[in-house]
Structures are given as C-alpha cells and as structure tokens.
Amino acid sequence: MTGRNAVVGVHGIWNLQDGKTPVEVAAVLGRRWTTALRRGLGLGSEVEAVVAYYAHHLAGDAAHGTGDPAQLPEPEQEMLLRWAAALGAPAEVAKAG
C-alpha cells in the first residue's frame, strides 16, 4: 500500500467467494476497486484501494438473520443477550427472542 493515496474499503453483502483464500479475495477486490477509483479520478491517479474482506466469517453453520437465536452457538447466544441488555431490553424480552 502506498500510504498517502490509500483508500481502505469494506465490501457489502453477497461477496462470499468460494475456492479462494480470504487474502486472495481481498487482493482481487482491491485491484477492482483501485481500477474503478483511478478511472473516476483520472488515469494518472496513484490511489490504491485495500479491501477488508470478512464474508468468510459469516459463512458458518450458524443461522443469520431473524431466525431462532437458539440456533446460535452458546457464546453467540450469550453475546446477543449482553447486547440486548446493554441496549436496555428487559431480560424477559431478550431471552424470549
């Protein structure tokens, strides 16, 4: 990364890419974003995009979304309860899902 002209990006949804390592996917996305940024800023631009890739962390066996929290592994259930409590949800509401 060049430093002065660097942009750090975080991808959005639907970016899971099977068959590649997270480092490989981040590099591919970074090259794509760099190309697009340079096209928009002018071909002489030295901007470089580095992408933080995280989709592989979301591709486990645990349910995501509005499903039953009981399907989550125990540590995630505990985190969800702590988060709900920190946001002010009554304990009986948080435990009921």
Side-chain angles (χ1 to χ4, degrees):
M1 188 160 76
T2 60
R4 275 190 300 171
N5 299 317
V7 174
V8 176
V10 180
H11 66 77
I13 62 171
W14 305 114
N15 275 279
L16 180 63
Q17 297 186 28
D18 293 326
K20 295 181 183 172
T21 68
V23 171
E24 291 170 330
V25 177
V28 168
L29 292 174
R31 286 191 298 272
R32 287 180 188 162
W33 290 25
T34 295
T35 299
L37 285 168
R38 288 180 180 175
R39 190 178 318 120
L41 295 172
L43 296 179
S45 173
E46 295 181 12
V47 68
E48 179 181 353
V50 178
V51 177
Y53 180 72
Y54 66 92
H56 62 294
H57 291 294
L58 303 178
D61 294 332
H64 298 282
T66 59
D68 183 0
Q71 294 179 7
L72 294 170
E74 186 66 28
E76 283 83 354
Q77 288 182 33
E78 291 174 14
M79 182 187 73
L80 181 61
L81 290 173
R82 286 192 310 270
W83 185 32
L87 293 173
E92 59 276 0
V93 172
K95 289 181 182 178

